Amino acid sequence: MIDISVVIPVFRVEKYIKKCIESLINQSYTHFEIVLVDDGNDDNSIEIAINLLNIKMFSNYKVIRQVNKGLASARNIGLKQITSEYVIFVDSDDVVHKDFLKTLRDNMRKNDDMSICSFSYIKEQRSELLHVTRANIIELTTEDFLRSYLYRDKSLLVVSILFRRKFLIANNLFFNENMKFSEDQMFLWKCIFSSNMSVYTTAKLYGYFLRPNSIMTSSKYDTISKSCELYKIFCREMNGEYKNYSNICKYIYPRWCLGVLFSSAKTMKKNEYKELYYQLEGRHLLFKLFGFKEVKAVCLSVLVSLSINLSYDICRRVKL
């Protein structure tokens, strides 16, 4: 019986999708389906995926087609059309460990809304680079999860989380289709605030492939600038709705701004970075993060607050 749907948005990844599909076909867990969402492709990505699935005689797959609307829309339409108990969103250029689905499914307890694993950044699409040593399993209450995500003390991504589908649907948890940058963070904050219990493993079972021209490494100024306004509104709404977590909510937006400036410095020209810096009020981030407990973030906020030029130059040189 199939109880997991793996939703994969597909758009212009003909050079990369084969490795992604291979890593899923080789899963030790077999009760799952692959849902390919064709987001208006103009290359052979979908054909490559389908041919490979047929050659490997993997019949539990379906294809959903739409005009190009972006990653958030592709994930949403996949979520709306599946009926399985659990869902996970995998990016079409990433790879996963052979025990990825089995571990997440085994760890999911009756009352858990999410089962999460750690991940690794990889520069080659090779699932064998994901070495799993002894791992810890940690129970997360809502507040535990909120603090872990805020302070970045657990490595996780939206794509490394197995969701209980009914949890997402009952709480109307979908990706914001107007966000073209950092939509994952907005979605995950909503999920955490809506959750009761989750479980996390330190096993690095997901390989996030750092390829040239991906969304993460090539987002443009206009896209980021528009998303910043949407994220600001979102954080304001959270501050109003979750007053019992005010000590967490007050830091979400400035911590996000800091991360945006850090990553944008690596891809933007200096004049664009300066425009974004003023939009995000970079000079005031140290004040807004006063009392924040993540040392690296506080140190970076000091740098950003002191100098636009110096923060731009240093952030460009520092690696992930």
Side-chain angles (χ1 to χ4, degrees):
M1 176 181 174
I2 291 174
D3 61 358
I4 297 177
S5 292
V6 182
V7 175
I8 309 175
V10 181
F11 182 69
R12 293 180 180 172
V13 285
E14 60 183 6
K15 293 182 180 179
Y16 309 103
I17 195 167
K18 180 180 178 181
K19 293 291 185 180
C20 174
I21 298 298
E22 285 178 343
S23 70
L24 288 166
I25 290 174
N26 293 327
Q27 289 294 290
S28 57
Y29 189 82
T30 58
H31 304 295
F32 73 98
E33 66 173 355
I34 293 175
V35 181
L36 301 168
V37 183
D38 179 357
D39 190 33
N41 275 280
D42 53 9
D43 66 5
N44 295 316
S45 300
I46 284 291
E47 288 73 19
I48 291 171
I50 292 174
N51 287 340
L52 179 58
L53 289 165
N54 290 336
I55 289 172
K56 298 293 184 178
M57 293 183 289
F58 186 94
S59 59
N60 294 328
Y61 76 88
K62 64 180 66 171
V63 179
I64 301 171
R65 301 183 187 273
Q66 66 172 22
V67 297
N68 180 245
K69 294 181 179 180
L71 180 65
S73 173
R75 287 173 172 170
N76 285 342
I77 193 172
L79 174 58
K80 290 174 182 177
Q81 293 196 22
I82 62 172
T83 58
S84 56
E85 187 174 0
Y86 306 102
V87 60
I88 193 161
F89 305 98
V90 170
D91 285 348
S92 54
D93 53 356
D94 295 337
V95 295
V96 296
H97 187 275
K98 65 180 180 65
D99 294 325
F100 175 60
L101 294 178
K102 182 179 187 302
T103 301
L104 292 175
R105 179 66 184 86
D106 287 349
N107 289 350
M108 180 77 84
R109 299 159 303 176
K110 183 177 180 180
N111 296 321
D112 287 328
D113 300 309
M114 293 174 272
S115 177
I116 309 128
C117 71
S118 184
F119 72 97
S120 292
Y121 289 116
I122 56 175
K123 294 184 178 180
E124 296 179 66
Q125 274 189 299
R126 294 168 52 204
S127 57
E128 58 268 26
L129 294 175
L130 301 171
H131 300 294
V132 178
T133 54
R134 187 174 181 179
N136 296 321
I137 299 176
I138 303 164
E139 297 180 6
L140 296 173
T141 63
T142 303
E143 186 161 357
D144 292 335
F145 204 164
L146 287 170
R147 291 188 180 279
S148 290
Y149 196 47
L150 177 65
Y151 292 116
R152 312 299 199 264
D153 63 8
K154 291 180 177 60
S155 62
L156 60 96
L157 299 166
V158 162
V159 287
S160 68
I161 302 175
L162 182 68
F163 296 93
R164 195 178 296 276
R165 184 181 63 85
K166 286 185 178 179
F167 159 71
L168 296 180
I169 301 301
N171 290 284
N172 196 31
L173 296 170
F174 296 96
F175 294 87
N176 186 325
E177 297 183 17
N178 293 316
M179 287 281 289
K180 304 301 181 183
F181 172 82
S182 207
E183 62 268 48
D184 285 12
Q185 282 200 36
M186 181 184 286
F187 174 77
L188 189 48
W189 278 119
K190 291 191 294 183
C191 289
I192 299 172
F193 275 113
S194 300
S195 69
N196 291 311
M197 290 293 297
S198 299
V199 61
Y200 174 83
T201 175
T202 56
K204 295 184 177 183
L205 302 171
Y206 192 96
Y208 191 103
F209 180 47
L210 293 173
R211 66 179 173 93
N213 302 317
S214 67
I215 293 174
M216 179 178 178
T217 58
S218 64
S219 293
K220 300 295 188 292
Y221 169 77
D222 289 342
T223 300
I224 296 175
S225 179
K226 180 182 177 182
S227 295
C228 286
E229 291 304 310
L230 293 172
Y231 205 88
K232 188 175 185 178
I233 294 169
F234 165 70
C235 289
R236 191 183 301 131
E237 292 172 348
M238 281 198 299
N239 275 301
E241 185 173 354
Y242 300 106
K243 294 185 183 298
N244 52 326
Y245 292 116
S246 60
N247 59 331
I248 292 174
C249 289
K250 68 180 181 180
Y251 290 125
I252 293 176
Y253 183 67
R255 177 60 183 85
W256 180 80
C257 291
L258 192 66
V260 170
L261 288 172
F262 177 77
S263 60
S264 297
K266 301 179 185 305
T267 60
M268 287 183 180
K269 296 177 181 178
K270 184 173 285 190
N271 64 312
E272 293 177 329
Y273 175 83
K274 286 182 177 180
E275 289 294 323
L276 191 64
Y277 180 95
Y278 290 126
Q279 180 181 352
L280 298 179
E281 300 180 323
R283 195 170 297 279
H284 302 296
L285 287 180
L286 176 59
F287 171 75
K288 292 179 180 179
L289 286 169
F290 181 78
F292 197 64
K293 296 179 181 179
E294 185 190 355
V295 176
K296 289 182 179 179
V298 173
C299 291
L300 182 58
S301 71
V302 172
L303 174 65
V304 169
S305 297
L306 287 176
S307 170
I308 299 179
N309 292 326
L310 186 60
S311 64
Y312 177 79
D313 293 337
I314 292 178
C315 287
R316 282 183 72 85
R317 295 191 185 105
V318 176
K319 295 182 179 181
L320 285 169

